[in-house]
Amino acid sequence: MKRRVTRALGLAIRGTLRSAALVVPAAQETFLQSAHKALEWARIDSFLGNRSSPALASHRPCPVCGSIRSKNVFELTDFQFYCDSAEVPKRLNVRDDFCLDCFAVYMNPCFTPYGFSVLAAEAGRSYGSSEGRPDEQIGWLNERALLAPGARVLDIGCFDGAFLARLPSHTRKFGVDIDAPAIERARAVHAEKSIHFTVGDFETFEFNEEAPDTITVLMVLEHLPRPTEVLRKLRSISHANTKLVVEIPVVERGPTNDINGFFATLHTTHFSRQTLAICMLRAGWRIEQATNQPDYNGYRVVASPCEPVSLVSKNVEDLTSVNRSLERWHVAVREAEARLRAPAAAGRWVVWGAGGHTEFLYQVTTLFHADGDELFALVDSDTLKHGKSWRGVPIHSPDVLRDVDWSRTNLLVSSYGGQESITKAALALGVPAERIVTLYDQVHRC
Ligand SMILES: [Zn+2]
C-alpha cells in the first residue's frame, strides 16, 4: 500500500532524476561500473555534503480542523531521506504534532511540494509491494455494488493505471495523478482500454466529465498536505449519490514490531477513525460503512455527500492510541538493539537495505555509533542506488556479497517486510548463516 502512494505522489521528478543519473561523464561511468564489482568500505558519516533547507518544509495549521494549537509528540532530528547528495538538501527534522482541538496527529512543519519531490524521489523501492491487494480491493468494491455496469469510477492517485485497468470492463474509468510521466505510460499501456487519464493536482484538477458514481482514494490521503481541501474538491465534482471510498492507515492499529513504527516519515497526517470522520464531514462527506482490513493496518470507508459540518466531537482515546503506538515502537527498538548486540563483534558490517529502515537504525539504535572504527558497506537490489552512498557508505549490488571475507564481517538484514526474502537471497549468495543478523522474530504484513 505504501508503495502505491509513493508511486502516486513522490515520483513526479523521479523520471527526471533517473534521466540525469544516466548522463554521466565517461570517467564517472567507469566508477559506477566498478562499484558493482568491488566492495568498498567506509566509516559512517564520511560524506560531508548533506544538508537541510528551509525550502523543504513549512509550518501549517492542523490539516483536519484548521487549528494552530498543537503540542509535539514525536521527533527525529536530521533525518536523511535516502542517498547522499551534494546538490539537493536531503535532511529534515521530522516532527509530528498533536492538535489540541481535534486530536489529529500531523507532520509539522510539512513537506512543501519541492520538499516532497526531493525527499520522496528515491522512496519507491524502499517499500515492499503488496501483491494481491488490488484484487482484494476490487472484490470489496464489487461486494458493495460500487462497480455496477456503466458505473463511472474515478481513481485519485491512479499512477500508471494498473488498478483501473483491472476493474470490470463494464465500468467507465477515470484516473488522476500529479505524476505526468506515469500518466503518459498509463495512456500508452492502456490505450485500448478506453480509460480517461488526467494529469493534475488533486485539489485543482480539471474534470469536465459527467460526475463519477464511485471515487476511490486508496492509501493516498495520509500523504496529502491539505486532505480536507482535496475531499472538498471531490465533493464539488460529485452528484448526490456518488460514493467515496477512502482507505488509510489508522493510529488505533498503529502498534507494530517494525522499527519504522506507525509514524511513517512520508505520512503527513496520522489519522484515527475519529479524525478521518471529522476531516470528511468538514469536507461534506458522511461515512456510512467502515471496515478494518484483516491483515494490515488499513481502514476502509464508504461515504456519501452531506452538508459540510464544522463542529464535530473529538475522541479523547486518540492520544491513548498514539501512546500505544509509541510504546510498542520503543519495545521494537529495544528488541532490535538486542539483536544487533548478539553476534560476535567482527569490525565490519554489510547492511542489506539502503532505504528508510537503515536510516531508522541510524536514528534510534547504536549500530552506527558503537565503535568509531567499524567499517560499513551497503547492498540494495534497487539498481538506481548502485554507485551512490548513504551517510558516506557506498551502495552496491548484492552480487558483491559473493566476494566478501565473512570471517571478519556480519551481514545485517535491514528490512521489515523483506526480511525473509533477503535472508534467502543472502544464503544463495554464499553468506554463512551464522553471519546473517535479522531484527524480527515475526514479520506481519503491513
Ligand atoms: Zn485539529
Side-chain angles (χ1 to χ4, degrees):
M1 65 188 172
K2 291 172 181 173
R3 184 174 186 164
R4 183 171 195 269
V5 176
T6 43
R7 285 183 318 196
L9 298 172
L11 301 187
I13 70 161
R14 184 169 181 156
T16 312
L17 290 176
R18 194 178 303 197
S19 310
L22 292 173
V23 183
V24 291
Q28 195 179 347
E29 195 174 335
T30 307
F31 164 75
L32 289 176
Q33 286 170 356
S34 66
H36 289 265
K37 293 172 186 166
L39 187 65
E40 295 176 72
W41 298 95
R43 291 194 165 79
I44 194 68
D45 286 329
S46 51
F47 178 88
L48 302 177
N50 291 308
R51 66 188 193 282
S52 188
S53 164
L56 292 174
S58 60
H59 283 272
R60 61 171 174 169
C62 170
V64 171
C65 80
S67 168
I68 57 169
R69 300 190 325 122
S70 65
K71 290 287 183 192
N72 179 250
V73 291
F74 183 72
E75 180 165 15
L76 296 167
T77 57
D78 216 21
F79 192 93
Q80 182 167 318
F81 288 78
Y82 316 107
C83 299
D84 294 328
S85 176
E87 282 79 44
V88 293
K90 303 293 284 288
R91 291 191 184 171
L92 183 67
N93 290 346
V94 176
R95 299 179 84 255
D96 288 312
D97 279 1
F98 182 69
C99 174
L100 298 181
D101 287 299
C102 77
F103 302 158
V105 178
Y106 61 100
M107 176 187 269
N108 202 22
C110 181
F111 304 119
T112 58
Y114 167 74
F116 194 86
S117 68
V118 168
L119 299 178
E122 294 167 320
R125 298 193 195 178
S126 296
Y127 295 107
S129 62
S130 300
E131 294 302 325
R133 186 68 46 80
D135 289 337
E136 183 277 321
Q137 289 165 332
I138 291 166
W140 193 94
L141 294 167
N142 259 325
E143 284 169 19
R144 287 156 182 80
L146 296 169
L147 303 175
R152 292 181 298 280
V153 181
L154 170 62
D155 187 34
I156 301 297
C158 67
F159 190 59
D160 62 5
F163 175 75
L164 283 168
R166 291 167 90 150
L167 295 183
S169 55
H170 62 230
T171 56
R172 295 176 57 199
K173 309 171 188 183
F174 305 87
V176 180
D177 209 289
I178 59 169
D179 186 341
I183 291 291
E184 265 177 49
R185 289 199 301 281
R187 285 177 177 145
V189 171
H190 306 299
E192 81 291 356
K193 291 188 174 166
S194 63
I195 306 174
H196 189 281
F197 291 106
T198 303
V199 178
D201 181 280
F202 301 147
E203 288 181 39
T204 56
F205 68 91
E206 298 265 335
F207 192 75
N208 300 317
E209 310 290 329
E210 214 177 321
D213 302 303
T214 298
I215 305 175
T216 50
V217 188
L218 305 175
M219 291 297 184
V220 168
L221 210 61
E222 67 274 19
H223 289 264
L224 305 178
R226 294 168 21 114
T228 313
E229 282 69 15
V230 171
L231 293 172
R232 284 193 181 115
K233 166 69 178 180
L234 300 182
R235 175 79 164 78
S236 75
I237 61 165
S238 295
H239 59 68
N241 296 314
T242 296
K243 300 296 183 191
L244 172 64
V245 180
V246 173
E247 182 174 329
I248 53 162
V250 285
V251 70
E252 288 92 335
R253 307 185 75 199
T256 169
N257 65 332
D258 180 353
I259 63 159
N260 283 296
F262 176 75
F263 298 99
T265 51
L266 289 174
H267 291 182
T268 65
T269 309
H270 308 290
F271 288 100
S272 68
R273 294 184 190 118
Q274 183 69 17
T275 54
L276 176 66
I278 295 172
C279 189
M280 294 186 74
L281 278 168
R282 287 173 58 83
W285 293 100
R286 186 178 301 282
I287 295 173
E288 294 179 335
Q289 295 180 42
T291 55
N292 287 319
Q293 297 317 113
D295 55 354
Y296 62 104
N297 64 8
Y299 175 66
R300 197 177 295 161
V301 303
V302 182
S304 288
C306 67
E307 283 305 307
V309 179
S310 57
L311 288 174
V312 186
S313 65
K314 47 199 177 184
N315 185 354
V316 293
E317 286 297 312
D318 278 0
L319 187 56
T320 299
S321 298
V322 168
N323 283 324
R324 276 202 193 98
S325 292
L326 291 172
E327 180 181 33
R328 186 65 187 89
W329 178 66
H330 282 289
V331 171
V333 171
R334 173 170 56 72
E335 290 172 344
E337 183 67 38
R339 295 280 200 125
L340 291 171
R341 297 295 119 223
R348 296 187 175 201
W349 284 97
V350 176
V351 179
W352 188 322
H357 189 276
T358 296
E359 177 66 19
F360 262 90
L361 287 174
Y362 178 92
Q363 291 281 334
V364 299
T365 73
T366 65
L367 173 65
F368 295 103
H369 315 290
D371 177 352
D373 289 331
E374 277 186 311
L375 291 173
F376 296 92
L378 281 160
V379 298
D380 197 291
S381 55
D382 185 347
T383 54
L384 292 175
K385 290 180 177 168
H386 299 164
K388 297 182 180 178
S389 62
W390 164 85
R391 291 187 178 270
V393 181
I395 304 169
H396 311 77
S397 161
D399 293 338
V400 299
L401 297 182
R402 295 181 196 280
D403 304 322
V404 172
D405 172 7
W406 293 107
S407 67
R408 53 195 296 221
T409 307
N410 289 319
L411 176 81
L412 177 66
V413 180
S414 178
S415 172
Y416 184 76
Q419 176 171 282
E420 188 183 340
S421 60
I422 289 174
T423 302
K424 274 187 193 161
L427 289 168
L429 287 164
V431 184
E434 66 274 16
R435 284 299 188 189
I436 300 176
V437 179
T438 58
L439 297 177
Y440 303 106
D441 289 332
Q442 282 187 310
V443 170
H444 307 281
R445 198 174 172 209
C446 66

